[in-house]
PDB file of all heavy atoms in Angstrom:
ATOM      1  N   LEU A 228    -114.796   8.646 -44.087  1.00 97.00           N
ATOM      2  CA  LEU A 228    -115.402   9.853 -44.641  1.00 97.00           C
ATOM      3  C   LEU A 228    -116.820   9.539 -45.119  1.00 97.00           C
ATOM      4  O   LEU A 228    -117.160   8.368 -45.347  1.00 97.00           O
ATOM      5  CB  LEU A 228    -114.548  10.372 -45.796  1.00 97.00           C
ATOM      6  CG  LEU A 228    -113.178  10.937 -45.369  1.00 97.00           C
ATOM      7  CD1 LEU A 228    -112.261  11.096 -46.573  1.00 97.00           C
ATOM      8  CD2 LEU A 228    -113.348  12.256 -44.637  1.00 97.00           C
ATOM      9  N   PRO A 229    -117.666  10.538 -45.266  1.00 96.00           N
ATOM     10  CA  PRO A 229    -119.070  10.270 -45.645  1.00 96.00           C
ATOM     11  C   PRO A 229    -119.225   9.440 -46.911  1.00 96.00           C
ATOM     12  O   PRO A 229    -120.145   8.621 -47.011  1.00 96.00           O
ATOM     13  CB  PRO A 229    -119.655  11.678 -45.820  1.00 96.00           C
ATOM     14  CG  PRO A 229    -118.841  12.530 -44.898  1.00 96.00           C
ATOM     15  CD  PRO A 229    -117.449  11.965 -44.954  1.00 96.00           C
ATOM     16  N   SER A 230    -118.339   9.616 -47.892  1.00 97.00           N
ATOM     17  CA  SER A 230    -118.505   8.863 -49.135  1.00 97.00           C
ATOM     18  C   SER A 230    -117.452   7.773 -49.310  1.00 97.00           C
ATOM     19  O   SER A 230    -117.261   7.263 -50.417  1.00 97.00           O
ATOM     20  CB  SER A 230    -118.475   9.806 -50.342  1.00 97.00           C
ATOM     21  OG  SER A 230    -117.183  10.351 -50.535  1.00 97.00           O
ATOM     22  N   SER A 231    -116.759   7.414 -48.202  1.00 97.00           N
ATOM     23  CA  SER A 231    -115.777   6.330 -48.299  1.00 97.00           C
ATOM     24  C   SER A 231    -116.459   5.046 -48.733  1.00 97.00           C
ATOM     25  O   SER A 231    -117.519   4.679 -48.218  1.00 97.00           O
ATOM     26  CB  SER A 231    -115.092   6.103 -46.953  1.00 97.00           C
ATOM     27  OG  SER A 231    -114.281   7.186 -46.579  1.00 97.00           O
ATOM     28  N   ARG A 232    -115.851   4.353 -49.694  1.00 96.00           N
ATOM     29  CA  ARG A 232    -116.368   3.051 -50.103  1.00 96.00           C
ATOM     30  C   ARG A 232    -115.208   2.088 -50.265  1.00 96.00           C
ATOM     31  O   ARG A 232    -114.074   2.473 -50.560  1.00 96.00           O
ATOM     32  CB  ARG A 232    -117.126   3.152 -51.422  1.00 96.00           C
ATOM     33  CG  ARG A 232    -116.290   3.518 -52.631  1.00 96.00           C
ATOM     34  CD  ARG A 232    -117.144   3.662 -53.878  1.00 96.00           C
ATOM     35  NE  ARG A 232    -116.351   4.043 -55.051  1.00 96.00           N
ATOM     36  CZ  ARG A 232    -115.895   3.187 -55.964  1.00 96.00           C
ATOM     37  NH1 ARG A 232    -116.164   1.887 -55.823  1.00 96.00           N
ATOM     38  NH2 ARG A 232    -115.186   3.596 -56.997  1.00 96.00           N
ATOM     39  N   PHE A 233    -115.491   0.830 -50.000  1.00 96.00           N
ATOM     40  CA  PHE A 233    -114.487  -0.216 -50.174  1.00 96.00           C
ATOM     41  C   PHE A 233    -114.435  -0.621 -51.642  1.00 96.00           C
ATOM     42  O   PHE A 233    -115.476  -0.747 -52.298  1.00 96.00           O
ATOM     43  CB  PHE A 233    -114.826  -1.431 -49.316  1.00 96.00           C
ATOM     44  CG  PHE A 233    -114.505  -1.254 -47.860  1.00 96.00           C
ATOM     45  CD1 PHE A 233    -115.439  -0.701 -46.991  1.00 96.00           C
ATOM     46  CD2 PHE A 233    -113.271  -1.627 -47.357  1.00 96.00           C
ATOM     47  CE1 PHE A 233    -115.144  -0.536 -45.648  1.00 96.00           C
ATOM     48  CE2 PHE A 233    -112.971  -1.462 -46.016  1.00 96.00           C
ATOM     49  CZ  PHE A 233    -113.905  -0.912 -45.153  1.00 96.00           C
ATOM     50  N   ILE A 234    -113.223  -0.791 -52.144  1.00 92.00           N
ATOM     51  CA  ILE A 234    -113.061  -1.338 -53.479  1.00 92.00           C
ATOM     52  C   ILE A 234    -112.084  -2.507 -53.397  1.00 92.00           C
ATOM     53  O   ILE A 234    -111.392  -2.697 -52.391  1.00 92.00           O
ATOM     54  CB  ILE A 234    -112.582  -0.290 -54.501  1.00 92.00           C
ATOM     55  CG1 ILE A 234    -111.179   0.223 -54.173  1.00 92.00           C
ATOM     56  CG2 ILE A 234    -113.550   0.867 -54.584  1.00 92.00           C
ATOM     57  CD1 ILE A 234    -110.617   1.166 -55.223  1.00 92.00           C
ATOM     58  N   ALA A 235    -112.017  -3.290 -54.451  1.00 90.00           N
ATOM     59  CA  ALA A 235    -111.163  -4.468 -54.452  1.00 90.00           C
ATOM     60  C   ALA A 235    -110.766  -4.817 -55.875  1.00 90.00           C
ATOM     61  O   ALA A 235    -111.505  -4.551 -56.821  1.00 90.00           O
ATOM     62  CB  ALA A 235    -111.883  -5.654 -53.812  1.00 90.00           C
ATOM     63  N   ALA A 236    -109.594  -5.414 -56.000  1.00 76.00           N
ATOM     64  CA  ALA A 236    -109.117  -6.007 -57.252  1.00 76.00           C
ATOM     65  C   ALA A 236    -109.131  -4.998 -58.394  1.00 76.00           C
ATOM     66  O   ALA A 236    -108.288  -4.111 -58.446  1.00 76.00           O
ATOM     67  CB  ALA A 236    -109.915  -7.255 -57.581  1.00 76.00           C
ATOM     68  N   GLY A 237    -110.083  -5.090 -59.298  1.00 81.00           N
ATOM     69  CA  GLY A 237    -110.038  -4.296 -60.519  1.00 81.00           C
ATOM     70  C   GLY A 237    -110.221  -2.802 -60.298  1.00 81.00           C
ATOM     71  O   GLY A 237    -111.023  -2.363 -59.476  1.00 81.00           O
ATOM     72  N   MET A 238    -109.453  -2.007 -61.048  1.00 87.00           N
ATOM     73  CA  MET A 238    -109.607  -0.562 -61.109  1.00 87.00           C
ATOM     74  C   MET A 238    -109.719  -0.172 -62.576  1.00 87.00           C
ATOM     75  O   MET A 238    -109.316  -0.927 -63.461  1.00 87.00           O
ATOM     76  CB  MET A 238    -108.399   0.152 -60.498  1.00 87.00           C
ATOM     77  CG  MET A 238    -108.111  -0.171 -59.049  1.00 87.00           C
ATOM     78  SD  MET A 238    -106.621   0.713 -58.503  1.00 87.00           S
ATOM     79  CE  MET A 238    -106.497   0.105 -56.818  1.00 87.00           C
ATOM     80  N   ASP A 239    -110.232   1.022 -62.825  1.00 92.00           N
ATOM     81  CA  ASP A 239    -110.353   1.529 -64.195  1.00 92.00           C
ATOM     82  C   ASP A 239    -109.587   2.834 -64.329  1.00 92.00           C
ATOM     83  O   ASP A 239    -109.642   3.694 -63.441  1.00 92.00           O
ATOM     84  CB  ASP A 239    -111.819   1.771 -64.572  1.00 92.00           C
ATOM     85  CG  ASP A 239    -112.616   0.482 -64.663  1.00 92.00           C
ATOM     86  OD1 ASP A 239    -112.029  -0.528 -65.088  1.00 92.00           O
ATOM     87  OD2 ASP A 239    -113.803   0.493 -64.304  1.00 92.00           O
ATOM     88  N   THR A 240    -108.896   3.003 -65.457  1.00 95.00           N
ATOM     89  CA  THR A 240    -108.259   4.283 -65.746  1.00 95.00           C
ATOM     90  C   THR A 240    -109.309   5.261 -66.267  1.00 95.00           C
ATOM     91  O   THR A 240    -110.449   4.881 -66.558  1.00 95.00           O
ATOM     92  CB  THR A 240    -107.160   4.123 -66.812  1.00 95.00           C
ATOM     93  OG1 THR A 240    -107.773   3.783 -68.060  1.00 95.00           O
ATOM     94  CG2 THR A 240    -106.169   3.040 -66.419  1.00 95.00           C
ATOM     95  N   VAL A 241    -108.901   6.518 -66.419  1.00 94.00           N
ATOM     96  CA  VAL A 241    -109.827   7.497 -66.975  1.00 94.00           C
ATOM     97  C   VAL A 241    -110.222   7.127 -68.407  1.00 94.00           C
ATOM     98  O   VAL A 241    -111.275   7.534 -68.890  1.00 94.00           O
ATOM     99  CB  VAL A 241    -109.217   8.912 -66.954  1.00 94.00           C
ATOM    100  CG1 VAL A 241    -109.146   9.448 -65.545  1.00 94.00           C
ATOM    101  CG2 VAL A 241    -107.841   8.927 -67.610  1.00 94.00           C
ATOM    102  N   GLY A 242    -109.407   6.334 -69.064  1.00 95.00           N
ATOM    103  CA  GLY A 242    -109.723   5.890 -70.415  1.00 95.00           C
ATOM    104  C   GLY A 242    -110.477   4.582 -70.467  1.00 95.00           C
ATOM    105  O   GLY A 242    -110.737   4.062 -71.562  1.00 95.00           O
ATOM    106  N   GLY A 243    -110.829   4.028 -69.280  1.00 95.00           N
ATOM    107  CA  GLY A 243    -111.643   2.824 -69.238  1.00 95.00           C
ATOM    108  C   GLY A 243    -110.876   1.517 -69.309  1.00 95.00           C
ATOM    109  O   GLY A 243    -111.471   0.458 -69.543  1.00 95.00           O
ATOM    110  N   ILE A 244    -109.562   1.534 -69.045  1.00 96.00           N
ATOM    111  CA  ILE A 244    -108.781   0.291 -69.038  1.00 96.00           C
ATOM    112  C   ILE A 244    -108.843  -0.316 -67.643  1.00 96.00           C
ATOM    113  O   ILE A 244    -108.390   0.285 -66.670  1.00 96.00           O
ATOM    114  CB  ILE A 244    -107.321   0.543 -69.445  1.00 96.00           C
ATOM    115  CG1 ILE A 244    -107.242   1.154 -70.842  1.00 96.00           C
ATOM    116  CG2 ILE A 244    -106.527  -0.766 -69.393  1.00 96.00           C
ATOM    117  CD1 ILE A 244    -105.839   1.582 -71.236  1.00 96.00           C
ATOM    118  N   THR A 245    -109.415  -1.506 -67.540  1.00 93.00           N
ATOM    119  CA  THR A 245    -109.490  -2.211 -66.260  1.00 93.00           C
ATOM    120  C   THR A 245    -108.149  -2.887 -65.982  1.00 93.00           C
ATOM    121  O   THR A 245    -107.575  -3.526 -66.867  1.00 93.00           O
ATOM    122  CB  THR A 245    -110.609  -3.257 -66.276  1.00 93.00           C
ATOM    123  OG1 THR A 245    -111.859  -2.590 -66.490  1.00 93.00           O
ATOM    124  CG2 THR A 245    -110.671  -4.024 -64.968  1.00 93.00           C
ATOM    125  N   HIS A 246    -107.656  -2.751 -64.762  1.00 93.00           N
ATOM    126  CA  HIS A 246    -106.386  -3.368 -64.402  1.00 93.00           C
ATOM    127  C   HIS A 246    -106.424  -3.784 -62.936  1.00 93.00           C
ATOM    128  O   HIS A 246    -107.281  -3.320 -62.163  1.00 93.00           O
ATOM    129  CB  HIS A 246    -105.224  -2.398 -64.654  1.00 93.00           C
ATOM    130  CG  HIS A 246    -105.349  -1.104 -63.906  1.00 93.00           C
ATOM    131  ND1 HIS A 246    -104.635  -0.811 -62.779  1.00 93.00           N
ATOM    132  CD2 HIS A 246    -106.126  -0.011 -64.135  1.00 93.00           C
ATOM    133  CE1 HIS A 246    -104.956   0.396 -62.344  1.00 93.00           C
ATOM    134  NE2 HIS A 246    -105.870   0.903 -63.141  1.00 93.00           N
ATOM    135  N   GLN A 247    -105.525  -4.673 -62.556  1.00 91.00           N
ATOM    136  CA  GLN A 247    -105.439  -5.157 -61.183  1.00 91.00           C
ATOM    137  C   GLN A 247    -104.142  -4.651 -60.588  1.00 91.00           C
ATOM    138  O   GLN A 247    -103.054  -5.041 -61.024  1.00 91.00           O
ATOM    139  CB  GLN A 247    -105.483  -6.690 -61.157  1.00 91.00           C
ATOM    140  CG  GLN A 247    -105.539  -7.268 -59.752  1.00 91.00           C
ATOM    141  CD  GLN A 247    -105.949  -8.725 -59.762  1.00 91.00           C
ATOM    142  OE1 GLN A 247    -107.012  -9.067 -60.266  1.00 91.00           O
ATOM    143  NE2 GLN A 247    -105.112  -9.583 -59.223  1.00 91.00           N
ATOM    144  N   ALA A 248    -104.253  -3.776 -59.602  1.00 89.00           N
ATOM    145  CA  ALA A 248    -103.080  -3.061 -59.115  1.00 89.00           C
ATOM    146  C   ALA A 248    -102.028  -3.973 -58.493  1.00 89.00           C
ATOM    147  O   ALA A 248    -100.831  -3.718 -58.649  1.00 89.00           O
ATOM    148  CB  ALA A 248    -103.510  -1.998 -58.115  1.00 89.00           C
ATOM    149  N   ASN A 249    -102.416  -4.983 -57.783  1.00 90.00           N
ATOM    150  CA  ASN A 249    -101.470  -5.907 -57.162  1.00 90.00           C
ATOM    151  C   ASN A 249    -101.758  -7.321 -57.609  1.00 90.00           C
ATOM    152  O   ASN A 249    -102.917  -7.740 -57.652  1.00 90.00           O
ATOM    153  CB  ASN A 249    -101.582  -5.862 -55.633  1.00 90.00           C
ATOM    154  CG  ASN A 249    -101.080  -4.567 -55.035  1.00 90.00           C
ATOM    155  OD1 ASN A 249    -100.428  -3.775 -55.698  1.00 90.00           O
ATOM    156  ND2 ASN A 249    -101.389  -4.349 -53.777  1.00 90.00           N
ATOM    157  N   VAL A 250    -100.727  -8.061 -57.939  1.00 93.00           N
ATOM    158  CA  VAL A 250    -100.850  -9.501 -58.177  1.00 93.00           C
ATOM    159  C   VAL A 250     -99.790 -10.184 -57.316  1.00 93.00           C
ATOM    160  O   VAL A 250     -98.599 -10.032 -57.570  1.00 93.00           O
ATOM    161  CB  VAL A 250    -100.626  -9.851 -59.664  1.00 93.00           C
ATOM    162  CG1 VAL A 250    -100.732 -11.359 -59.853  1.00 93.00           C
ATOM    163  CG2 VAL A 250    -101.630  -9.148 -60.569  1.00 93.00           C
ATOM    164  N   PRO A 251    -100.182 -10.862 -56.227  1.00 92.00           N
ATOM    165  CA  PRO A 251    -101.562 -11.189 -55.859  1.00 92.00           C
ATOM    166  C   PRO A 251    -102.244 -10.062 -55.081  1.00 92.00           C
ATOM    167  O   PRO A 251    -101.587  -9.171 -54.547  1.00 92.00           O
ATOM    168  CB  PRO A 251    -101.369 -12.395 -54.936  1.00 92.00           C
ATOM    169  CG  PRO A 251    -100.055 -12.121 -54.263  1.00 92.00           C
ATOM    170  CD  PRO A 251     -99.192 -11.482 -55.323  1.00 92.00           C
TER     171      PRO A 251
END
Side-chain angles (χ1 to χ4, degrees):
L228 291 166
S230 69
S231 293
R232 66 183 179 97
F233 283 88
I234 65 175
M238 301 178 182
D239 293 325
T240 68
V241 288
I244 301 173
T245 299
H246 58 103
Q247 186 165 302
N249 290 347
V250 179

